[in-house]
Amino acid sequence: ARWEVAREPLHLDTDAAQLRSASGSIAKAVAGVGPGVEFGSRISEAISSSNEWRLGRGKASGRKARVGLVPTAVGATNIDVWVPGGVLFANMMVQASAAQRRSPSSVLGGVLYYQGESDALDEGRAAAFSGKLQSFLAAVHSGLGEKVVVVVCAIHGGLDRLPFREQVRAALLASGPNWSREARAWSGGGRERN
């Protein structure tokens, strides 16, 4: 594997048939556009404008910070496959480790977590979502490092399509105060942007 310029759909290769099958995904075969490329662009801008970057290697040469994205998304999956022991959690950890081996001088700085719609379809999964999200966050920090920031994005979609959306959104929104290294972003007409 090698690094290449990011473009949509970012997770085309990761949303492979074998991962969709192993995770129980009901997603269509073609990956769609997600928030990953914009996330990477914003992270690059933030790093490039930091004092550390300006005083160091980048600003003197006019270069922007380079950000590597390691897509592991698989659409239409529920949180059970993203907690420790789940096939997609294991794949995420393997891919993150492989990326760090490819670029030993790099620092893993963040994880973009945009999941929950499948859980909002089922009352039992929605009720269990909060505890499983906390398990996911703890395992990310344990496995990838305490300094890794997890950006938690709230799901979108109407109640007609996602009948237990508010339970899942409440768990996503509540994830931030429990962790000093989490940020929240709200989509679909919401108000939160931390």
Side-chain angles (χ1 to χ4, degrees):
R2 60 179 171 74
W3 294 107
E4 57 186 70
V5 175
R7 63 183 152 279
E8 297 290 2
L10 183 62
H11 61 282
L12 182 62
D13 293 337
T14 64
D15 203 355
Q18 63 196 36
L19 283 175
R20 282 196 315 276
S21 176
S23 64
S25 172
I26 57 168
K28 59 187 184 283
V30 178
V33 174
V37 172
E38 182 65 18
F39 174 72
S41 178
R42 296 293 176 111
I43 294 295
S44 176
E45 289 171 15
I47 293 169
S48 297
S49 65
S50 73
N51 284 334
E52 188 175 315
W53 181 260
R54 273 182 279 203
L55 297 173
R57 58 184 178 242
K59 280 295 185 179
S61 66
R63 289 186 358 215
K64 284 185 85 173
R66 294 163 97 190
V67 172
L69 301 173
V70 183
T72 60
V74 175
T77 55
N78 67 58
I79 198 165
D80 290 330
V81 295
W82 289 102
V83 296
V87 65
L88 296 182
F89 181 83
N91 179 62
M92 177 184 70
M93 300 305 277
V94 166
Q95 297 303 322
S97 295
Q100 288 181 306
R101 281 193 307 277
R102 279 194 302 272
S103 301
S105 63
S106 66
V107 174
L108 180 62
V111 172
L112 178 62
Y113 184 82
Y114 188 62
Q115 192 276 333
E117 289 183 9
S118 292
D119 297 290
L121 294 169
D122 178 83
E123 186 175 16
R125 286 200 317 259
F129 187 83
S130 180
K132 291 179 181 184
L133 177 61
Q134 294 305 313
S135 175
F136 169 81
L137 294 171
V140 165
H141 291 297
S142 175
L144 299 178
E146 289 297 319
K147 292 185 178 182
V148 171
V149 174
V150 180
V151 177
V152 178
C153 298
I155 60 172
H156 62 282
L159 287 173
D160 56 325
R161 191 172 75 80
L162 304 172
F164 304 100
R165 175 191 72 183
E166 294 309 314
Q167 285 176 271
V168 171
R169 277 187 169 182
L172 290 164
L173 186 58
S175 67
N178 299 324
W179 299 89
S180 61
R181 298 160 309 274
E182 268 63 60
R184 297 182 304 253
W186 202 250
S187 65
R191 299 172 301 283
E192 284 289 326
R193 281 190 174 71
N194 290 345

